[in-house]
Amino acid sequence: MSGERYQTVLLFGAPGSGKGTQGKILAHIPGFFHLSCGDVFRSLDINSAEGRLIYEYSSTGRLVPDETTIRVWKRHLDALTVLSHYKPYEDLLILDGIPRNVHQAELVKEHIDVLKIVHLVCRDEEAMVHRIRRRAIRDNRADDASEDVIRKRFRVYEDETRPVLECYSKELISEVDAIAPPAEVLRQVLNCVVPVQNAHFLVKQRPQVNMSSSL
Ligand code: ADP
């Protein structure tokens, strides 16, 4: 897809709002491809200079510098495309965790065409802290382990990430109640993304194989 932009939905919301949970569910449905920027970072070799630098930022709740973020994320996406894990003409790209500030929103413009933003809204910070604490035990994540780091990520979200919504037209943004049970959140997320997929990815009929004539 050189020169063209990937057709994309952004999963947007505060830490613990369930972007990753919903993205992982969508990833099981043919025609959707989910990529979490945080997962890309966690997949890096911690002994490499890049892996160490990123860990230094993420384990303290700070945003990784933009140039590094975009380079690593784009390299990963390109590799997935080369390997045909992600097929841009068949799959709607579901991004979570990027762009995470206004500058990143500018930088990703040349790579992605944002067709919809699903904003997982939760105004109850304590409920999200509780979810993150449970995730810390389940996933053994360094940035989930300390309450100070969790609170710092919420501040970064409010100061740097929430303003990203201003970069996009209001019509693109749909709000979903993030505090509802996961199946209900999924229903609302599907209501947002299925029409986008239908509008942009026509299901191509495979040629019919006539079994009786080949016998
Ligand atoms: P959460 O949404 O729960 O904060 P993520 O897995 O999305 O978790 O991100 C974990 C950490 O990785 C972030 O706190 C941040 O340090 C780093 N990170 C992830 N995505 C980005 C990004 N787009 N830009 C800068 N840093 C990022």
Side-chain angles (χ1 to χ4, degrees), residues 19 38 42 58 62 64 97 100 104 135 141 143 153:
K19 306 180 295 289
R42 283 184 287 279
S58 56
R62 295 173 293 159
V64 174
R100 231 170 166 111
Q104 289 184 14
R135 184 172 74 183
R141 270 178 56 166
D143 59 338
R153 275 160 53 217

Side-chain angles (χ1 to χ4, degrees), residues 13-17 19-20 36-39 41-42 54 57-66 69-70 73 96-101 104 132 135 141 143-144 149 153 156:
S17 59
K19 306 180 295 289
S36 144
C37 192
D39 286 347
F41 287 167
R42 283 184 287 279
I54 287 174
Y57 281 89
S58 56
S59 61
T60 48
R62 295 173 293 159
L63 292 187
V64 174
D66 296 337
T69 295
I70 302 299
W73 166 81
D96 108 49
I98 191 166
R100 231 170 166 111
N101 62 27
Q104 289 184 14
I132 292 174
R135 184 172 74 183
R141 270 178 56 166
D143 59 338
D144 284 347
V149 173
R153 275 160 53 217
V156 169

Side-chain angles (χ1 to χ4, degrees), residues 2-3 29 31 95 105 107 118 128 177 205 207:
S2 63
I29 307 174
L95 286 181
L107 294 174
V118 180
M128 284 187 284
D177 171 18
Q205 293 286 318

